Amino acid sequence: MSLLTVKENISMVNNGNTDIVSAVQSNSNVVFDTKDLNLWYGETHALKDINLTINEKEVTAIIGPSGCGKSTYLKTLNRMVELVPTVRTTGEITYKGKSILDKSSKVEELRTHVGMVFQKPNPFPKSIYDNIAYGPRIHGIRNKKILDEIVEKSLRGAYIWDEVKDRLKENAYGLSGGQQQRLCIARTLAIEPDVILMDEPTSALDPKSTLKIEDLVQELKKDYSIIIVTHNMQQAARISDRTAFFLNGEVVEFDVTDTIFTKPTDNRTEDYISGRFG
Amino acid sequence: MKYIDAEQVSKRMGTRIAKNNLLKSLFFMATLFGLIVLAILIYRVVVDSVGWIDWNFLTGKLSTAAERAGIMGAILGTFWMMLVVAPVTLILGIGTAIYLELYAKKGRFQAIIQTNISNLAGVPSIVYGILGLTIFVRAMEMGNIILAGGLTLSLLILPIVIVAAQEAIRAVPGFLSEASYGMGATKWQTIKNVILPAALPGILTGAILALSRAIGETAPLTVIGIPALIIPFPEGIFDKFTALPMQIYYWTLDSSLVAEYANLAAATIVVLLLLLFVLNSAAIFIRNKFQQRF
Ligand SMILES: Nc1ncnc2c1ncn2[C@@H]1O[C@H](COP(=O)(O)OP(=O)(O)OP(=O)(O)O)[C@@H](O)[C@H]1O
Ligand SMILES: [Mg+2]
């Protein structure tokens, strides 16, 4: 950890990127700290001795070949993996200092702080309004005026307000795929999370919608910590501050994105990034 | 060099297409067979009933004199009985399906229950009649009242409703419930707001089809002892009663004594068929109208 920080600081300075330097300086603001995490699906050992520290208000990208455990790791952070009955974990993950994997911590509470955007846009077959109001409602907000405000704020936050403001009562499935995905992001914003997990949020979208979401991620980073899984190297390079390279359930390398993409320490990282496998 | 020889392909093309056409007509004939049998059946019944269905027949009391006999009592009996069957099967059926699909741990215990429910769906209806007679009519001393008949028929169709509801719940795509869980919803909130609304058209369709099965059931009712006597119109679920299929049964039975009873039976069948037709149309309507698209 300390070694890593030193190395980062050096590359930061070389880089001259003041934005990231300030992020590193406020390094005490760790959102997720993963220690020796192991995860099995029945007999399949999907995550092996994962150690990762994720900082507040940064974009952390997770890259790696198919089946290496990216989605699994992401879903461990909001404990969605537990929907698979055969899952077993060891090790520890803390969210803002509090351990989340032991059964005494409430998943429902964790998930109001840690929102998730899925690979395939998955709005509810309800109106656009009801999609956004879903989260606030399940957390007990009934007041129509407050709900209206949340809906508008969330849709604006996901840069989709202008496109849908006149059709809030219409079914969300009338939107295009890219709009649906931004709606899903807005729906996540509506629960006012601190962290947003995104699992290949643009893989089902056309290039234009993809760019919109990438811009959006840059905006959201001011207020949220974002962890994004992507198969798109350019995307990771464009939008993330740090990148973790996963391979066969292990973290091969985790560093500042520029370092990962310009001078990776591990050969396997280099091979993967340059497209030699995966 | 090519493996697929174009000349050979075009030479065999004729036989391939002929074979396709032959099978197509065979499958069509299989369909036709069922249709023809159904048409003959309906034709016979309708011919026998012509002239017998009138206002007096629909609203009148039962009578030994064929010309004066009416089936209002049986219609009311069937109606009250469905008022018992519908809520009982819906509540128990949906509840069981929710538990088995969404709460129960997948394991041995769950597998055993599941197998038993599927097997129960195949138990002959007369066995349910015996069960109803033993439990409701005798042990609980209800006598042969509407409630007893309704509960017996509820037992009969409960497995069908459970299985239909389970299938409807299973058909709700996982990405919808994941979205809900992902926002911190509890299981019940997810069931209430996402899973049930999406599954409801399927559940209701299955339940209505099961109800129409219950409406036509005769065997369990004969076992719990529905009288062939002329009794007052039932006014609630604690009254004694007769039901449409029972009426058909008794009139058919006695048609060797009074020939016109056969016509009365046919007329009652037409009424029952119309009722079933309405119910099945309602099921199709619900499915098309409330089906959510995603
Ligand atoms: N529900 C499950 N049951 C059993 N094994 C699973 C399950 N989900 C994932 N796995 C296994 O765990 C490993 C990691 O899967 P995961 O979905 O995390 O990969 P990924 O890196 O997200 O891949 P992709 O890029 O294709 O999405 C794989 O070997 C996969 O087969
Ligand atoms: Mg994945």
Side-chain angles (χ1 to χ4, degrees):
Chain A
M1 171 63 216
S2 63
L3 248 180
L4 195 69
T5 319
V6 171
K7 204 168 71 190
E8 277 161 14
N9 272 321
I10 294 167
S11 80
M12 283 305 98
V13 173
N14 289 347
N15 204 327
N17 188 332
T18 48
D19 235 27
I20 306 179
V21 170
S22 66
V24 170
Q25 276 164 355
S26 60
N27 219 354
S28 56
N29 294 334
V30 168
V31 271
F32 277 115
D33 200 1
T34 307
K35 290 204 188 87
D36 301 326
L37 175 72
N38 279 278
L39 183 143
W40 291 264
Y41 290 106
E43 296 299 306
T44 315
H45 196 174
L47 295 177
K48 300 166 193 160
D49 297 321
I50 306 283
N51 286 287
L52 274 183
T53 307
I54 287 162
N55 291 339
E56 200 165 43
K57 298 192 178 156
E58 284 190 7
V59 177
T60 306
I62 299 178
I63 59 170
S66 190
C68 67
K70 305 180 295 294
S71 300
T72 302
Y73 178 65
L74 205 66
K75 285 189 283 179
T76 316
L77 295 179
N78 67 348
R79 287 177 59 185
M80 288 289 276
V81 269
E82 286 172 19
L83 293 180
V84 180
T86 55
V87 160
R88 223 156 28 86
T89 51
T90 63
E92 193 183 50
I93 300 180
T94 56
Y95 167 70
K96 295 198 170 166
K98 270 180 280 173
S99 173
I100 61 163
L101 285 186
D102 61 274
K103 301 289 170 193
S104 65
S105 81
K106 298 263 174 296
V107 276
E108 288 84 3
E109 204 176 320
L110 174 69
R111 289 173 191 160
T112 65
H113 302 301
V114 184
M116 184 157 201
V117 176
F118 297 80
Q119 179 169 0
K120 196 172 150 260
N122 58 351
F124 299 120
K126 301 174 189 287
S127 71
I128 292 170
Y129 184 97
D130 286 340
N131 263 279
I132 308 296
Y134 187 89
R137 278 182 178 140
I138 58 172
H139 295 299
I141 292 177
R142 291 275 168 273
N143 185 313
K144 175 90 172 71
K145 244 188 93 202
I146 298 181
L147 284 175
D148 286 349
E149 269 169 39
I150 296 177
V151 168
E152 177 167 349
K153 185 168 162 240
S154 310
L155 288 169
R156 282 191 191 282
Y159 290 94
I160 190 180
W161 171 252
D162 288 331
E163 289 158 73
V164 300
K165 63 172 187 273
D166 300 322
R167 44 197 288 205
L168 293 177
K169 296 279 163 241
E170 282 174 36
N171 195 297
Y173 278 84
L175 298 172
S176 76
Q179 288 173 326
Q180 285 182 22
Q181 192 63 306
R182 277 180 289 142
L183 180 77
C184 291
I185 294 176
R187 185 175 63 181
T188 305
L189 298 185
I191 58 170
E192 300 176 342
D194 298 318
V195 184
I196 303 175
L197 310 174
M198 298 182 164
D199 194 351
E200 302 183 44
T202 60
S203 67
L205 306 181
D206 65 293
K208 214 169 147 202
S209 310
T210 299
L211 275 184
K212 277 201 176 144
I213 302 240
E214 288 184 8
D215 291 345
L216 176 57
V217 168
Q218 290 303 304
E219 281 300 316
L220 293 176
K221 172 181 133 174
K222 292 176 191 148
D223 301 307
Y224 306 88
S225 316
I226 295 170
I227 307 169
I228 183 169
V229 169
T230 177
H231 271 289
N232 182 332
M233 293 306 118
Q234 284 83 13
Q235 185 169 72
R238 270 196 302 265
I239 66 176
S240 72
D241 302 307
R242 279 162 211 273
T243 298
F245 172 54
F246 276 55
L247 186 62
N248 299 327
E250 290 175 72
V251 179
V252 172
E253 201 166 343
F254 176 46
D255 213 323
V256 169
T257 298
D258 281 337
T259 314
I260 290 272
F261 281 92
T262 51
K263 23 185 189 330
T265 25
D266 199 296
N267 290 339
R268 292 170 294 176
T269 314
E270 193 169 354
D271 286 350
Y272 180 71
I273 288 166
S274 55
R276 253 167 281 179
F277 72 88
Chain B
M1 119 123 208
K2 278 179 149 185
Y3 287 100
I4 298 175
D5 181 351
E7 214 168 287
Q8 287 286 329
V9 168
S10 80
K11 226 165 72 189
R12 292 205 193 102
M13 198 54 84
T15 10
R16 277 165 63 184
I17 290 172
K19 195 169 174 186
N20 180 45
N21 289 339
L22 176 71
L23 283 166
K24 179 179 157 192
S25 30
L26 278 177
F27 294 140
F28 176 67
M29 263 144 49
T31 314
L32 212 58
F33 177 78
L35 279 178
I36 290 173
V37 171
L38 184 69
I40 294 175
L41 216 76
I42 291 180
Y43 173 77
R44 291 275 325 257
V45 171
V46 169
V47 165
D48 282 352
S49 72
V50 163
W52 289 87
I53 304 177
D54 54 21
W55 189 245
N56 178 55
F57 175 73
L58 290 175
T59 59
K61 280 197 170 104
L62 209 50
S63 166
T64 43
E67 311 78 51
R68 277 192 282 126
I71 55 167
M72 196 59 192
I75 292 178
L76 285 171
T78 292
F79 170 77
W80 281 111
M81 200 159 57
M82 287 310 119
L83 239 43
V84 173
V85 177
V88 169
T89 48
L90 273 181
I91 292 169
L92 291 182
I94 297 179
T96 310
I98 287 179
Y99 177 73
L100 288 177
E101 280 305 308
L102 300 165
Y103 282 104
K105 281 230 167 63
K106 303 272 173 274
R108 249 193 129 77
F109 176 68
Q110 198 256 0
I112 291 172
I113 294 184
Q114 193 66 62
T115 318
N116 275 311
I117 288 173
S118 307
N119 285 339
L120 281 177
V123 170
S125 60
I126 195 155
V127 178
Y128 285 95
I130 296 168
L131 190 70
L133 179 71
T134 321
I135 299 178
F136 304 125
V137 178
R138 290 192 183 148
M140 295 173 73
E141 296 183 341
M142 286 184 194
N144 48 3
I145 58 170
I146 290 177
L147 182 62
L151 290 176
T152 306
L153 291 186
S154 301
L155 288 184
L156 170 72
I157 63 167
L158 195 54
I160 308 175
V161 176
I162 293 173
V163 171
Q166 278 186 292
E167 272 162 18
I169 288 172
R170 225 175 292 147
V172 178
F175 60 75
L176 291 183
S177 32
E178 276 176 19
S180 174
Y181 290 130
M183 281 184 281
T186 61
K187 198 161 218 174
W188 169 241
Q189 287 177 318
T190 304
I191 292 173
K192 183 176 72 141
N193 297 313
V194 176
I195 299 178
L196 275 188
L200 211 56
I203 294 176
L204 286 183
T205 309
I208 291 175
L209 293 181
L211 269 192
S212 58
R213 156 111 197 259
I215 284 179
E217 272 299 334
T218 323
L221 296 183
T222 54
V223 175
I224 65 171
I226 302 304
L229 303 171
I230 297 167
I231 51 171
F233 289 166
E235 286 168 356
I237 59 172
F238 299 107
D239 288 347
K240 290 185 187 300
F241 73 114
T242 184
L244 287 170
M246 293 309 299
Q247 211 49 61
I248 296 168
Y249 173 69
Y250 283 128
W251 270 330
T252 311
L253 217 57
D254 291 344
S255 62
S256 51
L257 307 175
V258 183
E260 285 81 16
Y261 283 178
N263 299 97
L264 288 175
T268 315
I269 291 174
V270 170
V271 172
L272 187 58
L273 283 180
L274 283 176
L275 188 64
L276 295 181
F277 179 74
V278 169
L279 274 176
N280 289 1
S281 311
I284 294 169
F285 175 77
I286 287 176
R287 188 166 54 212
N288 294 342
K289 172 96 198 215
F290 297 104
Q291 193 86 301
Q292 294 174 325
R293 278 185 312 115
F294 30 72

